[in-house]
Amino acid sequence: MPEVIFPLDSTKPFTEQKLTGHNRWHPDIPPVATLKRGESYRIDCREWFDGAIKNDDSADDIRDAPLNRVHALSGPFRIEGAEPGDLLIVDILDVGPIPQEEGPLAGQGWGYTGIFAQKNGGSFLVDQFPDAYKAVWDFRGGECTSRHIPGVTFTGMVHPGLMGTAPSADLLKTWNKREGDLIATEPNRVPPLALPPEPDSAILGSLSGADFDRVAGEGARTAPPRENGGNQDIKNFTKGSRVFYPVYVSGASLSMGDLHFSQGDGEITFCGGIEMGGFIDIHVDVIKGGMDTYGVSENAIFMPGRNGPVYSEWLAFSGTSVTLDGEQRYLDSHLSYQRAILHAIDYLAKFGWSKEQAYLLLGAAPIEGRFSGVVDIPNSCATVYLPTEIFDVGIRPSASGPTQVDPGMGAPRAMNPG
């Protein structure tokens, strides 16, 4: 096993660990350790809410999830020899739940998926699903099942939802300016158009005093993906992947976290992956001057691993850029994917699952989403591929009609969601 460079004790909160990570992006957050080029390391990662979500049959914790606290990131790590303009190579050697532990912390044998409430983050289908719901998944080997969504078993596609390098001071200013300008176009929107810097609940490594206050007021939230990588939620960042990150500051300041046991393309419920804590083993190296050499001045490029589940039979749903009210939109691929997902939800509901169960499943299972047509005006076409082998019953259309499943207790909904 590689050296554990960032250990976490499951019995202690994130801020009381031997080493303190962070939950904002800023170039002045001090590195917690130095990683040598050509070496391998194990990094423990905490579930993104640091234990706020429980293994129970209530979604009140999803409704009240402390968004100011996310993400609980391990790092930043200084990479020996990395300088601005280089490309940082990160090989994902292994990734998984907290090893050999069972307990109340996500990753200790279980994880969860949540539909976020409109008033606290929202989701991809927030207009159709404005309230908070939750599904807990139990891990057994490489597979998972849920008491909240009976009749489904699938193999995990374990990956880090978030990994990235620190922005330069100028890049950070660019982020805050452009996102602030977006917020100003509709400042009272629920959910908001973007998340501005927020000192409340900021975790900034070893910073203290005036430096902490300054960085807390400037640091970018970790929720969206940006030029540095960040919260891309790419389900194909599995074991065996190689990722190339632009380097913007001396030492790169690499951070990671937000591990998922599985996820469908798009992480469509916002908390759409099966969230968990765990570990990630990485190997690091640097391509000097790689940003100019390969034209990668922003956004990572990557080579997916070959360790995801292998499914060979699919049922695919398509959608076009026409709203539910019949309004024509011009090549709106985002809307097309929404419509494809809604068609899949309506279809699964015919078998006895509630629409909330179907939505949670599509966020958690390794569905594949594709933009299938983006040039034929006025309608773009998006498709979602659902692996049929994950179901206990056949879900293909047939003359005999849908086989009815027992939906069990269903997905818990938050009390007093409004």
Side-chain angles (χ1 to χ4, degrees), residues 43-56:
I43 296 164
D44 289 344
C45 297
R46 182 56 54 86
E47 170 264 333
W48 72 314
F49 276 123
D50 190 24
I53 311 303
K54 308 302 181 185
N55 185 352
D56 59 20

Side-chain angles (χ1 to χ4, degrees), residues 88-325:
L88 173 63
I89 306 172
V90 180
D91 289 309
I92 300 176
L93 306 178
D94 201 359
V95 57
I98 302 171
Q100 299 177 330
E101 288 189 18
E102 293 183 359
L105 191 67
Q108 292 181 310
W110 64 280
Y112 66 89
T113 303
I115 299 173
F116 270 41
Q118 183 174 32
K119 295 182 179 180
N120 192 30
S123 72
F124 186 57
L125 301 177
V126 66
D127 290 338
Q128 290 77 38
F129 298 89
D131 300 329
Y133 288 83
K134 182 172 76 178
V136 173
W137 301 87
D138 294 311
F139 308 153
R140 183 173 183 178
E143 293 186 330
C144 65
T145 57
S146 174
R147 63 184 182 270
H148 299 131
I149 310 176
V152 178
T153 304
F154 54 87
T155 301
M157 198 166 187
V158 185
H159 62 279
L162 193 157
M163 188 184 295
T165 54
S168 66
D170 287 343
L171 184 56
L172 177 62
K173 290 179 182 177
T174 296
W175 292 352
N176 287 338
K177 171 66 166 57
R178 74 187 183 200
E179 292 173 25
D181 289 346
L182 177 62
I183 292 170
T185 65
E186 196 176 347
N188 298 318
R189 187 179 186 272
V190 179
L193 290 170
L195 300 173
E198 174 54 71
D200 176 58
S201 300
I203 303 172
L204 304 173
S206 61
L207 285 180
S208 61
D211 285 337
F212 182 99
D213 294 340
R214 174 181 59 83
V215 171
E218 298 172 350
R221 307 286 286 279
T222 59
R226 299 186 181 92
E227 288 90 334
N228 68 326
N231 193 31
Q232 294 180 289
D233 290 314
I234 299 172
K235 77 177 194 304
N236 301 93
F237 272 21
T238 56
K239 177 180 177 179
S241 295
R242 170 170 286 189
V243 193
F244 302 84
Y245 287 104
V247 175
Y248 299 107
V249 301
S250 180
S253 285
L254 174 71
S255 301
M256 63 203 69
D258 188 32
L259 302 188
H260 298 158
F261 187 82
S262 179
Q263 181 202 294
D265 277 336
E267 199 187 27
I268 56 174
T269 69
F270 183 27
C271 182
I274 300 180
E275 306 285 348
M276 67 175 194
F279 73 94
I280 181 169
D281 293 346
I282 64 169
H283 177 279
V284 295
D285 211 333
V286 173
I287 299 177
K288 301 301 295 181
M291 289 173 68
D292 282 342
T293 300
Y294 290 101
V296 183
S297 60
E298 60 183 32
N299 303 115
I301 59 176
F302 72 102
M303 300 162 59
R306 300 178 179 178
N307 288 277
V310 178
Y311 292 110
S312 59
E313 298 179 1
W314 306 80
L315 186 62
F317 301 83
S318 61
T320 58
S321 47
V322 178
T323 70
L324 289 171
D325 295 330

Side-chain angles (χ1 to χ4, degrees), residues 365-381:
I367 66 170
E368 293 190 1
R370 303 176 188 176
F371 291 147
S372 301
V374 295
V375 297
D376 296 314
I377 61 172
N379 270 330
S380 63
C381 177

Side-chain angles (χ1 to χ4, degrees), residues 398-416:
S398 68
S400 59
T403 301
Q404 294 302 295
V405 301
D406 180 357
M409 71 175 68
R413 177 188 184 216
M415 300 295 291
N416 302 316

